[in-house]
Amino acid sequence: MINTVALTGRMTKDPDLKYTQSGKAVATFSLAVDRNFKDNNGNKITDFPRCVIWGKNAENLANYTHKGSLIGVTGMVATRTFEDKNGQKRFACEINVEHFTLLEKKQQGPSQQTNQNNGYQNRQNVNNNQFNNQSNDPFGNGAPDIGYDDLPF
């Protein structure tokens, strides 16, 4: 049987990091994931799957992401039943995240501003001489730089 999920979306709120009684980290969060099609009225459809991540990955997620962060996750679908505070039996469907990937650059402070018109081309870099003062094209073939505005997501 195959139970694999891969999602790309924006976090709907900051991750909620907690620790179990045994000291294991667990973080919960939701992603806003757009579907590839629109409804009959032309409106995009967005799902908000609940995600759970454990251990060091949970701590890293909490330290490096926030509401609005664009991330990719891989994991598996898990379902469970539980009783709520009123004794009602409830059903939950969650994504148990095994790995996550940050999909956009870190927010920059005023001293690290880039020229947004040229993407990476005019970025201030400690290793300016890394490629013998050539452009950011390490192969010297004149290929254009690709910035975040050029990506399809």
Side-chain angles (χ1 to χ4, degrees):
M1 303 292 170
I2 297 175
N3 184 354
T4 303
V5 174
L7 299 171
T8 300
R10 293 203 178 270
M11 298 184 71
T12 61
K13 61 181 180 178
D14 291 346
D16 183 21
L17 178 66
K18 295 181 180 178
Y19 291 87
T20 64
Q21 289 180 355
S22 63
K24 189 166 187 175
V26 59
T28 57
F29 61 98
S30 294
L31 288 179
V33 180
D34 291 338
R35 294 190 187 183
N36 291 333
F37 56 89
K38 297 181 179 183
D39 66 13
N40 292 336
N41 297 325
N43 299 318
K44 71 178 178 180
I45 301 170
T46 304
D47 292 305
F48 301 94
R50 177 181 154 90
C51 302
V52 179
I53 188 168
W54 292 86
K56 186 67 175 171
N57 284 339
E59 293 175 327
N60 287 335
L61 181 87
N63 288 331
Y64 295 105
T65 64
H66 53 82
K67 179 180 179 178
S69 294
L70 180 65
I71 65 170
V73 299
T74 57
M76 62 182 197
V77 174
T79 59
R80 61 187 174 91
T81 57
F82 63 96
E83 277 191 24
D84 66 11
K85 297 174 189 174
N86 300 328
Q88 297 280 353
K89 192 171 185 178
R90 298 286 185 175
F91 175 81
C93 182
E94 302 168 323
I95 307 301
N96 280 344
V97 175
E98 295 169 356
H99 303 283
F100 75 94
T101 303
L102 303 174
L103 297 177
E104 56 191 359
K105 62 185 174 181
K106 184 178 178 180
Q107 295 295 335
Q108 298 178 346
S111 64
Q112 300 172 325
Q113 290 292 325
T114 60
N115 181 340
Q116 295 300 321
N117 294 332
N118 293 326
Y120 291 111
Q121 192 170 7
N122 292 330
R123 150 178 82 181
Q124 300 218 348
N125 189 344
V126 175
N127 298 320
N128 280 337
N129 294 323
Q130 183 177 5
F131 300 115
N132 299 325
N133 287 330
Q134 295 176 357
S135 69
N136 287 344
D137 179 12
F139 304 108
N141 62 9
D145 290 329
I146 297 175
Y148 280 99
D149 293 337
D150 299 316
L151 298 175
F153 49 86

